[in-house]
Amino acid sequence: MRSFTYIITDPVGIHARPAGLLVKQVKNYKSTITIERGEKEANAQKMMALMGLCVKKGDTVRVKAEGADEEQAATELETWFREHL
């Protein structure tokens, strides 16, 4: 398993548009991608689950990748988070 933490900088956090983009990005990987905020976690392939985390600007999330391409997934997703969230 590979993981990284990220502090959300988007003014409105993970709302519908970025959640949809994230789901699209995650579908490129074989690994299971999970997003954690505090005690809650969500499968990153499920848009409603992501929005249910209620991630706002300034929140810290942990992104976990587990599977065949976890190294690639974690590296690319970290870059994606910096560019979009």
Side-chain angles (χ1 to χ4, degrees), residues 18-29 44-45 50 77 80:
L21 292 173
L22 179 56
V23 168
K24 270 188 185 176
Q25 181 67 26
V26 164
K27 290 190 177 190
N28 293 320
Y29 308 111
Q45 287 191 342
L50 286 173
L77 285 171
W80 188 92

Side-chain angles (χ1 to χ4, degrees), residues 11-85:
V12 290
I14 299 181
H15 55 93
R17 186 186 52 78
L21 292 173
L22 179 56
V23 168
K24 270 188 185 176
Q25 181 67 26
V26 164
K27 290 190 177 190
N28 293 320
Y29 308 111
K30 295 175 185 159
S31 296
T32 300
I33 311 298
T34 306
I35 311 292
E36 294 179 351
R37 177 183 165 261
E39 298 296 315
K40 291 183 176 181
E41 76 175 28
N43 181 329
Q45 287 191 342
K46 302 194 184 285
M47 186 169 158
M48 295 307 289
L50 286 173
M51 292 174 58
L53 292 174
C54 301
V55 177
K56 309 253 186 277
K57 181 179 181 176
D59 287 346
T60 300
V61 294
R62 181 174 180 216
V63 180
K64 298 188 302 186
E66 191 166 1
D69 58 354
E70 62 190 32
E71 284 290 324
Q72 176 188 359
T75 301
E76 291 177 5
L77 285 171
E78 191 166 9
T79 299
W80 188 92
F81 267 71
R82 276 190 253 121
E83 292 172 355
H84 295 93
L85 290 172

